C-alpha cells in the first residue's frame, strides 16, 4: 500500500509537467476583432533616435531593444551596425564593427542584451559564432556554435546557457535541429535531433524556428510543427502547448519546402508569453495578424497587423501598428511612424507589455 501511495504521488507530480494545453489558433484565423492596447500593455511612448556621422539608421531595417537604462539598435543593412542610445534617444556609442579582424564580426544579425552582465551579443552566421561586447563597445569574447549550423533566427539567452536553432536542415542522418551551449565557452551541453525528415523525401528544409523565454524557461517551435516545447538544460523537449494551426501535418510534402501564400495553415512568426496571455504573430492566407490568447479561457482574438491595436493608453492617438520583427526584447513591441521619419532622427514607438 505504501509503495502504491508513493507511485501515485509520483504520477500526480509528473502530470502537470507533461500536460499540454490546446490552443486553437485556426478557429479564429482571418477573423478580426478590436483589441485594445491596454489588454496587453502598460505604456506606450515615442522616441526619436539621434543620428550622427557615426550613427546612420535605416528605419525600415531597424531592430530595437529597449532596456532599463539604454536603447540598442541594429540597422539591419549588410553587414549590419549596432548602436546604443539613452532612453530619450541620444546617441551614446557604437558596439563592435564588421570586418576581418579577430574582434570583428563578418555579418551581423539578431542580437541579445544581458543587462545584468553588461553584455551585448551579436549573432554572426558567416563565422558560426556569437561576438560578445560590453555596452561600451569593448570586445569580451567569441562564442562558437556547432559547425554547419545556419544561424538565421533569434536565439535565446538563458542565464549561463545559450540556445540556438539550425535554420537550414539538410536531409542527412542525425541532423541536429536545436542546440544548448555554455554561454561562456560555447561548449555544447545538449542538442535535439530533427524529426522533420521522417518519411519525407526532401533534400533540405529552411525553417523559421521560434525561441522565447518565459519564467526562466526556454520554449521552442518551428513553422512545420504544431507543438510548442519547453526545453530542458540537456535539450530534451517537454510538450507545453498543442496548436491547431491548420493542415500543416497533412500538406503535400512538396509544399513544405516552399508553401504558397494562400496555403491553408498558420505560419507563426513570433511568440510572447506572459502571465495572463500569449501573444502570437502569424501569417494566414497572405496577411499578418496579432492574436491574443487569453490564459483564462484559451480563446484567441485577432488584430490585423495593418490596422493595429486600439491605442487606449493615450488620448486621441492613432492605432498602434507593430512590426513583428523589430523588437529584440520580449518585454516590448516596436513600431515606427513613417510619416514622421526624417532623414536625421527616425521616430520609434515603444510599447511595454504586461508581465
Amino acid at each position: 500500500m505504501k509503495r502504491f501511495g508513493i507511485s501515485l504521488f509520483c504520477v500526480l507530480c509528473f502530470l502537470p509537467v507533461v500536460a499540454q494545453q490546446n490552443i486553437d489558433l485556426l478557429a479564429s484565423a482571418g477573423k478580426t476583432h478590436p483589441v485594445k492596447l491596454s489588454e496587453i500593455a502598460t505604456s506606450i511612448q515615442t522616441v526619436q533616435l539621434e543620428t550622427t556621422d557615426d550613427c546612420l539608421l535605416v528605419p525600415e531595417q531597424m531592430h530595437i531593444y529597449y532596456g532599463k537604462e539604454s536603447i540598442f539598435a541594429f540597422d539591419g543593412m549588410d553587414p549590419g551596425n549596432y548602436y546604443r542610445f539613452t532612453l530619450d534617444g541620444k546617441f551614446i556609442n557604437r558596439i563592435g564593427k564588421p570586418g576581418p579582424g579577430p574582434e570583428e564580426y563578418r555579418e551581423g544579425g539578431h542580437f541579445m542584451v544581458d543587462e545584468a552582465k553588461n553584455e551585448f551579443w551579436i549573432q554572426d552566421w558567416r563565422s558560426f559564432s556569437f561576438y560578445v561586447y560590453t555596452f561600451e563597445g569593448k570586445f569580451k569574447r567569441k562564442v562558437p556554435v556547432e559547425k554547419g549550423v545556419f544561424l538565421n533566427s533569434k536565439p535565446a539567452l538563458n542565464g549561463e546557457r545559450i540556445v540556438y536553432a539550425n535554420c537550414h536542415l539538410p536531409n542527412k542522418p542525425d541532423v541536429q535541429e536545436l542546440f544548448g551551449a555554455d554561454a561562456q565557452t560555447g561548449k555544447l551541453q545538449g542538442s535535439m535531433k530533427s524529426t522533420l525528415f521522417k518519411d519525407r523525401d526532401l533534400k533540405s528544409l529552411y525553417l523559421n524556428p521560434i525561441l522565447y523565454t518565459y519564467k526562466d524557461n526556454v520554449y521552442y517551435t518551428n513553422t512545420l510543427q504544431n507543438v510548442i516545447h519547453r526545453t530542458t538544460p540537456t535539450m530534451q523537449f517537454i510538450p507545453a502547448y498543442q496548436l491547431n494551426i491548420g493542415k500543416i501535418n497533412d500538406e503535400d510534402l512538396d509544399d513544405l519546402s516552399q508553401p504558397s501564400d494562400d496555403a491553408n495553415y498558420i505560419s507563426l512568426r513570433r511568440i510572447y508569453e506572459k502571465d495572463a496571455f500569449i501573444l502570437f504573430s502569424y501569417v494566414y492566407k497572405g496577411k499578418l495578424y496579432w492574436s491574443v490568447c487569453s490564459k483564462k479561457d484559451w480563446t484567441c482574438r485577432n488584430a490585423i497587423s495593418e490596422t493595429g491595436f486600439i491605442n487606449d493608453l493615450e488620448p486621441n492617438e492613432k492605432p498602434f501598428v507593430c512590426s513583428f520583427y523589430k523588437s529584440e526584447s520580449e518585454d516590448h513591441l516596436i513600431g515606427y511612424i513613417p510619416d514622421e521619419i526624417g532623414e536625421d532622427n527616425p521616430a520609434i514607438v515603444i510599447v511595454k507589455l504586461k508581465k
Side-chain angles (χ1 to χ4, degrees):
M1 184 67 181
K2 182 177 181 180
R3 180 178 298 175
F4 173 78
I6 294 175
S7 299
L8 180 61
F9 174 77
C10 293
V11 170
L12 292 175
C13 290
F14 185 67
L15 280 175
V17 176
V18 299
Q20 299 179 55
Q21 174 63 50
N22 294 322
I23 300 178
D24 192 350
L25 287 170
L26 191 65
S28 60
K31 303 173 184 177
T32 59
H33 306 273
V35 180
K36 294 181 178 180
L37 201 55
S38 62
E39 297 178 32
I40 62 170
T42 59
S43 65
I44 181 172
Q45 62 176 314
T46 300
V47 177
Q48 285 193 315
L49 300 180
E50 178 188 22
T51 57
T52 69
D53 292 340
D54 295 322
C55 173
L56 299 176
L57 292 168
V58 179
E60 292 81 359
Q61 299 291 330
M62 289 190 304
H63 292 233
I64 302 294
Y65 183 100
Y66 187 87
K68 295 178 181 178
E69 298 181 356
S70 302
I71 298 174
F72 300 87
F74 169 52
D75 70 358
M77 299 297 288
D78 184 16
N81 296 292
Y82 302 84
Y83 308 105
R84 182 167 69 115
F85 301 84
T86 64
L87 293 182
D88 59 0
K90 300 297 182 183
F91 174 65
I92 302 175
N93 63 275
R94 182 172 177 167
I95 302 177
K97 65 177 181 179
E103 298 182 359
E104 298 172 338
Y105 57 90
R106 293 179 60 186
E107 185 164 345
H110 288 281
F111 66 91
M112 297 174 293
V113 177
D114 189 334
E115 295 188 82
K117 296 180 180 178
N118 190 47
E119 289 187 345
F120 186 89
W121 289 61
I122 294 176
Q123 175 179 286
D124 181 5
W125 66 273
R126 285 192 178 274
S127 64
F128 302 104
S129 302
F130 295 98
Y131 287 77
V132 185
Y133 301 84
T134 66
F135 290 175
E136 294 73 28
K138 182 180 179 180
F139 177 77
K140 292 187 70 174
R141 65 187 181 278
K142 180 179 178 181
V143 180
V145 303
E146 292 298 294
K147 292 295 183 182
V149 171
F150 182 41
L151 292 172
N152 197 37
S153 64
K154 183 177 173 60
L157 191 60
N158 185 231
E160 297 300 324
R161 179 171 66 126
I162 177 75
V163 182
Y164 55 90
N166 189 3
C167 297
H168 178 206
L169 298 181
N171 194 350
K172 296 180 180 179
D174 300 323
V175 62
Q176 303 295 303
E177 181 176 344
L178 195 67
F179 304 84
D182 183 90
Q184 292 293 320
T185 64
K187 182 178 179 180
L188 193 65
Q189 297 174 335
S191 61
M192 175 58 62
K193 182 179 177 180
S194 176
T195 60
L196 294 176
F197 286 107
K198 185 178 181 181
D199 301 326
R200 292 178 179 174
D201 187 20
L202 293 170
K203 293 182 179 179
S204 65
L205 283 175
Y206 286 94
L207 302 179
N208 291 307
I210 298 174
L211 283 161
Y212 71 90
T213 57
Y214 174 64
K215 291 190 178 299
D216 295 324
N217 289 303
V218 177
Y219 292 80
Y220 172 78
T221 189
N222 64 59
T223 52
L224 300 183
Q225 292 180 329
N226 55 11
V227 179
I228 298 176
H229 303 274
R230 178 168 64 85
T231 69
T232 70
T234 56
M235 300 312 297
Q236 294 177 320
F237 281 169
I238 300 176
Y241 300 106
Q242 181 74 36
L243 305 177
N244 179 11
I245 56 176
K247 295 172 60 180
I248 187 67
N249 292 332
D250 299 320
E251 290 286 332
D252 185 88
L253 298 184
D254 293 335
D255 292 337
L256 290 177
S257 57
Q258 293 182 345
S260 58
D261 290 338
D262 60 349
N264 189 30
Y265 68 86
I266 288 170
S267 180
L268 294 172
R269 292 296 184 263
R270 291 291 291 271
I271 301 174
Y272 302 79
E273 182 166 359
K274 301 300 176 182
D275 290 347
F277 63 88
I278 303 179
L279 182 62
F280 296 92
S281 172
Y282 67 79
V283 173
Y284 179 69
K285 294 189 175 181
K287 290 186 177 182
L288 180 65
Y289 296 88
W290 288 94
S291 183
V292 181
C293 179
S294 168
K295 287 187 176 181
K296 184 177 181 179
D297 57 11
W298 299 102
T299 59
C300 299
R301 296 167 57 241
N302 304 316
I304 192 169
S305 180
E306 296 175 358
T307 305
F309 298 91
I310 296 174
N311 184 3
D312 60 333
L313 296 178
E314 294 178 310
N316 303 318
E317 287 294 328
K318 297 179 181 179
F320 170 66
V321 178
C322 177
S323 300
F324 78 90
Y325 58 86
K326 287 191 176 297
S327 179
E328 297 293 327
S329 164
E330 295 182 348
D331 295 323
H332 300 85
L333 300 179
I334 302 295
Y336 70 94
I337 310 173
D339 59 350
E340 294 185 17
I341 290 178
E343 295 181 358
D344 296 327
N345 301 313
I348 59 173
V349 183
I350 302 163
V351 166
K352 182 174 178 56
L353 294 171
K354 293 181 177 179
K355 293 182 179 180

